[in-house]
Amino acid sequence: MINDTIEVVNQDENGIGEIRVKGPNVMLGYYEMPELTEEVLKDGWFYTGDLGCFDKKGILYITGRNKNMIVLRNGKKVFPEELETIVNRLELVEESMVFGMPDEKVKDDVKVSVKVVYNQEVAKEKYPDKSQEELYQIIWEQIKELNQSFPRYKHIQKLILTDEELIKTTTKKVKRQEEMKKILNKA
């Protein structure tokens, strides 16, 4: 525990765990939602659902969301937001969503996968004669290069390419569940 108002609990071997906070600024609960309030408020602590860790200087780093975390069959954890940040730096990528795609070959396992919305302006400017299939190959090669900088278990194994914007909330957060339904319906 670094201080008495914020903690990282249930840490894994890398020190990453759920962030919980306590103090007068924490809500009393969700309005008329006692079940949901019970899930997040325990003994005066608010369990944020965010995952993170403290460094040696006491600085808190948020690594992702508990509900988005991909747990592989071998117990390894992949934080989609971490990979999305890196994939989104690719010039042809407008936005992306990393997720666990059920593995057809291995029961109870998933393949780390990414859905990429390509940047149509960059594609027209830099690759004017390329089809969407050719853009797929360009982006896939770039992702394979990125994979070399990740531990093996974090390697992205599948790419879905689209020019259609990801489904978002009014606050511009990707609606992962709706995107997953869309992906699984097409699989």
Side-chain angles (χ1 to χ4, degrees), residues 169-184:
T169 65
T170 54
T171 58
K172 301 292 181 195
K173 292 181 183 172
V174 174
K175 290 185 173 183
R176 291 178 182 273
Q177 299 299 342
E178 287 189 37
E179 278 295 333
M180 284 304 298
K181 283 180 195 170
K182 212 166 134 179
I183 290 165
L184 294 173

Side-chain angles (χ1 to χ4, degrees), residues 33-119:
M33 296 159 107
E35 302 84 22
L36 192 53
T37 298
E38 275 184 39
E39 284 180 35
V40 298
L41 288 176
K42 299 172 189 150
D43 299 322
W45 288 95
F46 173 59
Y47 288 74
T48 66
D50 291 315
L51 298 170
C53 60
F54 285 104
D55 70 5
K56 291 177 183 171
K57 295 179 183 175
I59 297 171
L60 177 65
Y61 289 89
I62 297 174
T63 57
R65 295 280 300 155
N66 201 14
K67 66 182 179 182
N68 298 340
M69 180 175 54
I70 301 165
V71 181
L72 303 174
R73 189 169 177 225
N74 63 8
K76 296 283 187 185
K77 297 173 184 163
V78 178
F79 303 102
E81 296 87 350
E82 173 189 15
L83 299 179
E84 289 165 0
T85 299
I86 296 166
V87 169
N88 287 345
R89 291 181 189 150
L90 296 174
E91 185 179 41
L92 269 169
V93 176
E94 182 72 29
E95 61 181 340
S96 67
M97 182 185 87
V98 173
F99 60 96
M101 175 68 100
D103 192 330
E104 316 86 47
K105 297 177 185 171
V106 182
K107 186 179 189 242
D108 298 325
D109 203 8
V110 293
K111 288 183 179 180
V112 178
S113 306
V114 65
K115 182 173 183 179
V116 167
V117 178
Y118 70 90
N119 185 315

Side-chain angles (χ1 to χ4, degrees), residues 80-169:
E81 296 87 350
E82 173 189 15
L83 299 179
E84 289 165 0
T85 299
I86 296 166
V87 169
N88 287 345
R89 291 181 189 150
L90 296 174
E91 185 179 41
L92 269 169
V93 176
E94 182 72 29
E95 61 181 340
S96 67
M97 182 185 87
V98 173
F99 60 96
M101 175 68 100
D103 192 330
E104 316 86 47
K105 297 177 185 171
V106 182
K107 186 179 189 242
D108 298 325
D109 203 8
V110 293
K111 288 183 179 180
V112 178
S113 306
V114 65
K115 182 173 183 179
V116 167
V117 178
Y118 70 90
N119 185 315
Q120 294 179 50
E121 289 177 25
V122 172
K124 283 177 192 170
E125 181 183 316
K126 297 234 173 178
Y127 306 97
D129 301 326
K130 301 288 184 193
S131 66
Q132 189 165 335
E133 291 78 25
E134 291 168 311
L135 292 173
Y136 175 96
Q137 286 306 318
I138 292 167
I139 294 170
W140 183 236
E141 288 304 316
Q142 292 173 344
I143 287 174
K144 288 196 296 191
E145 267 182 53
L146 290 177
N147 276 343
Q148 300 312 307
S149 64
F150 306 148
R152 179 89 180 110
Y153 71 93
K154 289 184 181 180
H155 283 195
I156 296 170
Q157 300 174 49
K158 182 174 175 62
L159 166 66
I160 297 170
L161 185 66
T162 184
D163 59 0
E164 193 177 302
E165 187 178 337
L166 297 176
I167 303 166
K168 296 187 191 76
T169 65

